[in-house]
């Protein structure tokens, strides 16, 4: 089954941030923005597995690029990819530990069951380091995280 994050989800962020029982509000500025699927500069295939790893775990892109992350969960248990700052990811992981049934659909994240595929399209706006992680309780703590090095265009 293929699942896609859509631009429609971007319109829901203000609503989700104010709703109860979620993880919105109080976050740092998002490192980038939802990308337009029709303006993808590059596709990067990323696998998630039951050894709590992303492959690749370190990715390099240029500022200004829109990247399609083609995700595949090669494991049997659910995993997710969430893009954000390290502080934001740790905060979100703590909220998920306190609310294990928390459901969310935002353009910077995608949760996949074992064997599923999906994608996140993300526009990296400025140079710096952007983090990503699986925030299912225990997964980040087991090392399921990675970085995107966003460098200035040549």
């Amino acid at each position: 089954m293929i699942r896609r994050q859509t631009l429609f989800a971007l319109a829901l962020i203000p609503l989700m941030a104010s709703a109860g029982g979620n993880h919105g509000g109080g976050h740092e500025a998002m490192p980038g923005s939802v990308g337009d699927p029709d303006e993808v500069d590059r596709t990067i295939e990323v696998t998630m597995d039951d050894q709590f790893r992303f492959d690749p775990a370190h990715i390099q892109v240029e500022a200004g690029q829109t990247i399609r992350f083609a995700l595949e969960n090669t494991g049997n248990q659910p995993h997710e990819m969430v893009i954000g700052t390290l502080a934001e990811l740790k905060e979100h992981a703590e909220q998920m530990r306190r609310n294990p049934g928390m459901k969310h659909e935002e353009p910077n994240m995608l949760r996949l069951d074992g064997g599923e595929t999906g994608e996140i399209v993300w526009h990296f706006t400025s140079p710096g380091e952007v983090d990503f992680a699986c925030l299912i309780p225990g997964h980040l703590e087991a090392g399921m995280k990675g970085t995107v090095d966003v460098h200035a265009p040549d």
Side-chain angles (χ1 to χ4, degrees):
M1 171 162 80
I2 295 177
R3 292 172 37 188
R4 284 186 85 167
Q5 298 302 101
T6 64
L7 295 175
F8 174 74
L10 182 61
L12 298 178
I13 290 175
L15 296 174
M16 291 185 290
S18 63
N22 69 18
H23 55 276
H27 296 301
E28 297 176 20
M30 183 62 62
S33 61
V34 65
D36 182 341
D38 294 329
E39 296 182 10
V40 170
D41 295 298
R42 195 168 132 211
T43 298
I44 299 174
E45 295 180 0
V46 178
T47 60
M48 304 178 283
D49 63 37
D50 290 346
Q51 284 70 49
F52 306 106
R53 297 292 180 259
F54 289 98
D55 185 23
H58 304 286
I59 299 168
Q60 293 190 4
V61 303
E62 284 187 4
Q65 282 189 322
T66 297
I67 304 296
R68 179 186 321 274
F69 292 100
L71 304 171
E72 180 180 8
N73 181 350
T74 60
N76 294 312
Q77 57 186 298
H79 296 292
E80 63 185 11
M81 180 178 183
V82 182
I83 299 169
T85 65
L86 188 56
E88 180 180 55
L89 294 172
K90 286 180 178 180
E91 177 186 333
H92 185 162
E94 179 58 33
Q95 290 175 359
M96 287 187 67
R97 272 191 292 283
R98 289 192 311 263
N99 302 291
M102 180 187 298
K103 303 251 191 261
H104 48 262
E105 294 262 346
E106 294 184 34
N108 67 315
M109 60 181 61
L110 182 63
R111 182 180 180 133
L112 298 172
D113 289 329
E116 283 189 320
T117 61
E119 62 184 35
I120 295 174
V121 177
W122 199 253
H123 180 73
F124 292 92
T125 54
S126 56
E129 188 171 276
V130 177
D131 298 289
F132 59 92
C134 179
L135 303 183
I136 294 173
H139 293 206
L140 174 60
E141 297 79 2
M144 196 164 187
K145 61 185 176 178
T147 57
V148 179
D149 176 30
V150 184
H151 57 87
D154 295 331

